[in-house]
């Protein structure tokens, strides 16, 4: 079956612009996660969805970051007024239960 | 706060030269320890989940082991296609997030 997909694969934006990153999880997976991977750093947790609700959003670095999930499926991560330090690879993962998270290919965001 | 430290940061091996990667962790109640493989430009690929000290899991040339403080990923007779970054992560009973280490970049030369 299809894995986790993310779009766009690459996004270049100017400082101050808003961006939206999309994640399509594996069909039937109720849990969805967003992580960020910066150069030279490990993956950093951002937010966790169970269904359409987000019981853990403690990893969002500032109020410029928000995410939503609709229909228990697709999720969108929005970054407002992007800054250069937001440049990173944004990874989405989904899971049926806690034992295994399946990752997508990521969106590489570059803020100029 | 959960913490994961991986060593070495980088490892270069000759084909057939066995070695081990280390993952040291502190977590408030370990639910699971995860190993992932990540190739350049791709998302992490799941390898193993270990649940309790003393557990071992194997997949092809890889074997993961777990103690109360650390995990090892043993690579036996590696091949060039095993070259990748290997990531270790922990999950606590208190939440669903994974806390990752910074990874070990493995290069296997033919």
């Amino acid at each position: 079956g299809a894995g986790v997909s993310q779009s766009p694969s690459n996004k270049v934006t100017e400082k101050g612009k808003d961006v939206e990153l999309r994640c399509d999880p594996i069909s039937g997976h109720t849990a969805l996660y967003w992580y960020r991977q910066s150069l030279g750093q490990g993956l950093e947790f951002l937010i966790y969805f169970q269904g359409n609700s987000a019981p853990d959003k403690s990893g969002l670095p500032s109020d410029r970051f928000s995410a939503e999930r609709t229909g228990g499926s697709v999720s969108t991560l929005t970054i407002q007024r992007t800054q250069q330090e937001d440049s990173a690879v944004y990874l989405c993962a989904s899971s049926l239960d806690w034992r295994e998270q399946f990752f997508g290919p990521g969106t590489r965001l570059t803020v100029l | 706060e959960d913490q994961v430290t991986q060593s070495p940061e980088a490892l270069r091996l000759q084909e057939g030269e066995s070695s081990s990667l280390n993952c040291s962790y502190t977590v408030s109640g370990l639910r699971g320890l995860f190993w992932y493989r990540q190739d350049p430009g791709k998302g992490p690929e799941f390898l193993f989940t270990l649940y309790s000290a003393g557990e071992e899991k194997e997949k092809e040339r890889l074997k993961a082991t777990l103690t109360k403080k650390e995990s090892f990923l043993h690579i036996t007779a590696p091949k060039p296609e095993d070259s990748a970054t290997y990531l270790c992560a922990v999950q606590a009973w208190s939440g669903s997030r994974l806390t990752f280490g910074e990874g070990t970049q493995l290069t296997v030369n033919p």
Side-chain angles (χ1 to χ4, degrees), chain B residues 32-94:
Chain B
L33 184 140
F34 301 77
W35 282 99
Y36 283 85
R37 169 193 170 126
Q38 187 173 27
D39 292 297
K42 296 189 176 181
E45 174 190 344
F46 172 80
L47 293 174
F48 304 108
T49 307
L50 302 168
Y51 301 99
S52 59
E55 188 175 4
E56 298 183 354
K57 288 195 175 174
E58 290 189 63
K59 180 180 181 179
E60 296 181 1
R61 295 176 293 282
L62 301 176
K63 182 169 81 172
T65 62
L66 181 64
T67 72
K68 288 186 177 180
K69 294 183 178 180
E70 58 192 351
S71 177
F72 292 93
L73 185 65
H74 306 278
I75 304 176
T76 303
K79 298 182 178 182
E81 54 262 41
D82 295 323
S83 296
T85 295
Y86 291 84
L87 301 171
C88 172
V90 296
Q91 186 181 60
W93 279 104
S94 58

Side-chain angles (χ1 to χ4, degrees), chain A residues 38-61:
Chain A
S38 303
L39 193 63
Q41 295 186 17
L43 276 79
E44 172 191 17
F45 168 82
L46 298 177
I47 188 170
Y48 156 59
F49 286 93
Q50 181 62 41
N52 291 336
S53 63
D56 187 356
K57 54 179 76 172
S58 62
L60 295 176

